[in-house]
Amino acid sequence: MNKRMREIMSQIENLNEEAVALYEAKDFDASGKKVEEIENLEKEYKLAEKLFNEKKTTVDDSVVVKSKEEKKIANFVENVRKVANSMSEGSNIDGGYTVPEDVQTDIEHLRESKESLADLVSVEPVSKSSGRRTFKKRSQMTGFSEVGEGKKIGTKKTPQYSTMEYKIKKYAGIYPTTNELLEDSDANIYSELTSWIADESRVTRNNIILEVIKKKDETKLDGLDDIKKVLNVTLGQAFKPTSKIVTNDDGLQYLDTLKDKDGNYLLQKSPADPMKLVLCAGVTTIPVKVFANDTIPTVDNKIPMIIGDLKEGIKLFDRKKLNITTSNTAVVGTGEEAINAYEEDLTLFRAIEREDVETRDEEAFVNGYISISSEPVA
């Protein structure tokens, strides 16, 4: 990652925070413009990354002094090789080594480069282990009442508020790595470590978000008309304009077979972005986001069809605390399942991250499903 790529990542992070703040303040136009800026920066990043990688492959390392990126990798790997007991983020008072700060940044980048449900929900970085957020409840206003001359004026409802509490939880895992791997090239070790932990982190977040979605009662959808009813009535104008359908490969197959009375398929490419899909049915046009079956599985012949605005419905509180520790002498587990790093010539990597996911507004989404036996209805 070169200097320009880091600058772009920093700009994206700042713009994302601004976009979320504007969105929560109901300034959708300004928030949308921020999102457009983010998308343009992401395109620039991908281009810069491609040029950077191409340049790296054409440079002869034997005659060129290592770049700053290469030194970062080499220093990190050297610390891994020298470690005796532990290595953690920051300085180790027991005489350990310092993990380069870029490791956390690279892991976050890799985590977000694949299918992540965190992109669909609202993410708020927090610095405390617990906290509370206050929201004004939606209520049906009835307007003023007619009052006769000299008559008593009645009282009306005042705004009502609800609270959402979060409590940061710790998620972790230990990953045995052969010391033969640590004897490979520096780039291989760095790539293996960051990719490994990044994927585990992404899957962890996906699982937590799905658990929160599943807390809401399931709604069976019998075809296209039920999907439209969810959008038009259940979600209504409060959420329909910002809603999307989130499904898996099975759901894509189902939606991709829907046709109108003239035989035209209803699932189409978005005119604004051909890389995205929209479901078009009458006056209803809704974006469709498809994840792999491995990410959102079909369970008990129920194809997931999550409909709504998950940024309004779910919030991920990110403690932004990542800890990586290694040991080549530790013993984990008991009995036959025990792993002895010293005896088995292994290095154990322990990764810990902290976050919490809570339902922000359960009315903002529907936990729907299509029975796998349902036939597409025109």
Side-chain angles (χ1 to χ4, degrees):
M1 185 182 295
N2 57 29
K3 180 180 179 182
R4 179 52 185 160
M5 291 166 67
R6 289 196 184 90
E7 292 174 351
I8 295 174
M9 289 294 292
S10 178
Q11 293 175 24
I12 290 176
E13 183 176 353
N14 293 335
L15 285 170
N16 184 65
E17 294 178 356
E18 294 174 11
V20 171
L22 290 168
Y23 188 90
E24 293 179 345
K26 305 300 182 182
D27 192 349
F28 300 127
D29 290 338
S31 179
K33 291 179 181 178
K34 294 293 183 182
V35 172
E36 291 178 359
E37 293 181 44
I38 292 173
E39 291 175 345
N40 291 332
L41 283 171
E42 288 176 341
K43 292 178 182 178
E44 182 181 349
Y45 182 90
K46 290 181 180 179
L47 178 60
E49 184 181 44
K50 181 178 180 180
L51 294 173
F52 176 71
N53 290 334
E54 289 178 351
K55 182 178 180 181
K56 285 202 302 181
T57 59
T58 58
V59 174
D60 184 358
D61 292 335
S62 63
V63 296
V64 179
V65 177
K66 284 189 174 181
S67 66
K68 184 178 180 180
E69 279 298 304
E70 291 168 328
K71 289 181 179 179
K72 177 192 70 176
I73 295 173
N75 291 338
F76 171 75
V77 174
E78 185 63 21
N79 290 337
V80 174
R81 287 174 174 153
K82 289 181 179 179
V83 73
N85 293 311
S86 66
M87 178 179 67
S88 62
E89 188 177 43
S91 297
N92 188 325
I93 60 175
D94 294 323
Y97 298 88
T98 301
V99 176
E101 294 180 359
D102 285 346
V103 172
Q104 180 171 342
T105 303
D106 291 346
I107 289 174
E108 288 181 354
H109 172 65
L110 287 170
R111 177 177 61 198
E112 296 166 359
S113 67
K114 296 183 179 180
E115 291 183 323
S116 176
L117 286 166
D119 296 335
L120 302 181
V121 304
S122 177
V123 180
E124 179 182 344
V126 294
S127 58
K128 304 296 182 181
S129 60
S130 62
R132 179 187 298 128
R133 297 292 181 266
T134 303
F135 302 97
K136 186 172 74 171
K137 291 183 177 180
R138 284 184 303 278
S139 59
Q140 182 65 43
M141 296 183 181
T142 58
F144 296 129
S145 302
E146 181 180 351
V147 181
E149 184 176 354
K151 301 296 182 179
K152 184 177 179 180
I153 300 175
T155 60
K156 301 292 292 183
K157 288 183 178 180
T158 56
Q160 301 295 306
Y161 298 87
S162 63
T163 60
M164 175 182 63
E165 296 185 353
Y166 73 87
K167 187 174 182 180
I168 298 298
K169 304 175 183 65
K170 180 169 68 174
Y171 299 89
I174 293 177
Y175 309 101
T177 305
T178 64
N179 283 330
E180 283 81 2
L181 176 63
L182 299 183
E183 295 170 1
D184 288 345
S185 68
D186 292 354
N188 283 345
I189 299 173
Y190 183 83
S191 176
E192 287 289 337
L193 173 66
T194 53
S195 296
W196 197 351
I197 296 177
D199 275 342
E200 286 288 85
S201 175
R202 175 182 57 83
V203 172
T204 299
R205 290 191 166 195
N206 287 345
N207 291 340
I208 300 170
I209 293 171
L210 285 175
E211 288 176 3
V212 173
I213 292 175
K214 291 176 182 177
K215 288 181 180 179
K216 187 168 183 179
D217 292 339
E218 292 182 321
T219 299
K220 184 177 180 180
L221 305 173
D222 290 322
L224 182 61
D225 284 345
D226 280 0
I227 293 176
K228 293 174 67 174
K229 184 177 180 180
V230 165
L231 292 165
N232 295 334
V233 181
T234 307
L235 298 174
Q237 295 308 305
F239 301 110
K240 180 180 177 181
T242 54
S243 291
K244 59 168 57 74
I245 296 174
V246 179
T247 187
N248 62 6
D249 292 329
D250 293 330
L252 172 62
Q253 173 61 23
Y254 176 84
L255 295 175
D256 203 23
T257 57
L258 295 176
K259 302 178 184 179
D260 62 18
K261 62 182 180 179
D262 297 322
N264 299 313
Y265 286 104
L266 301 181
L267 188 64
Q268 303 173 11
K269 293 181 179 180
S270 171
D273 187 349
M275 298 300 292
K276 298 180 180 179
L277 299 173
V278 293
L279 182 66
C280 304
V283 297
T284 301
T285 300
I286 180 77
V288 176
K289 176 62 178 177
V290 181
F291 289 86
N293 281 354
D294 289 340
T295 302
I296 308 181
T298 297
V299 181
D300 297 329
N301 292 328
K302 296 178 179 179
I303 301 173
M305 204 67 65
I306 304 161
I307 307 174
D309 185 345
L310 291 181
K311 286 195 177 293
E312 284 292 314
I314 295 176
K315 174 162 284 193
L316 187 156
F317 295 94
D318 186 2
R319 183 65 175 83
K320 288 288 185 182
K321 185 69 174 178
L322 176 69
N323 181 278
I324 305 171
T325 305
T326 71
S327 174
N328 58 10
T329 60
V331 178
V332 297
T334 58
E336 295 181 356
E337 301 296 326
I339 298 176
N340 188 318
Y342 184 78
E343 287 184 353
E344 300 176 45
D345 192 27
L346 301 173
T347 295
L348 305 181
F349 286 85
R350 188 189 69 187
I352 299 175
E353 65 180 33
R354 303 170 64 192
E355 58 228 351
D356 185 29
V357 179
E358 298 291 339
T359 300
R360 183 180 184 274
D361 190 341
E362 64 177 11
E363 296 182 21
F365 67 96
V366 170
N367 180 22
Y369 73 90
I370 295 284
S371 174
I372 208 165
S373 60
S374 296
E375 295 294 331
V377 180

